[in-house]
Amino acid sequence: MPRRRVAVTGIGLVTPLGVGVERNWEAVLAGESGVGPVTLFDASRLTSRIAGEVSGFRPEEFIGEDDLNGM
């Protein structure tokens, strides 16, 4: 498979606080934390069950279908 070049432009955030600069800034100002119990998989066998999960992110809303097919 040939290597693909990528150019990242603009600003955007995908964090445990939310998606987008505005949502993240609101969460920071409100003193919210993105850290909590792991919920996206069974972490019962892990030493730590606390993480900063990113939930609700749908890459297809930001990335074209052709780009997703190459992932």
Side-chain angles (χ1 to χ4, degrees):
M1 185 170 182
R3 295 178 81 178
R4 294 173 62 180
R5 291 182 171 222
V6 176
V8 178
T9 61
I11 183 170
L13 296 172
V14 178
T15 77
L17 293 175
V19 177
V21 174
E22 186 174 328
R23 170 63 190 122
N24 274 269
W25 186 240
E26 289 170 357
V28 168
L29 293 177
E32 295 178 27
S33 172
V35 178
V38 173
T39 62
L40 299 177
F41 64 92
D42 180 10
S44 62
R45 296 183 62 180
L46 299 176
T47 304
S48 176
R49 294 176 202 75
I50 305 295
E53 295 180 327
V54 175
S55 59
F57 176 63
R58 298 181 46 144
E60 61 273 11
E61 293 179 8
F62 301 92
I63 303 170
E65 187 174 328
D66 290 341
D67 295 320
L68 287 174
N69 292 331
M71 295 177 101

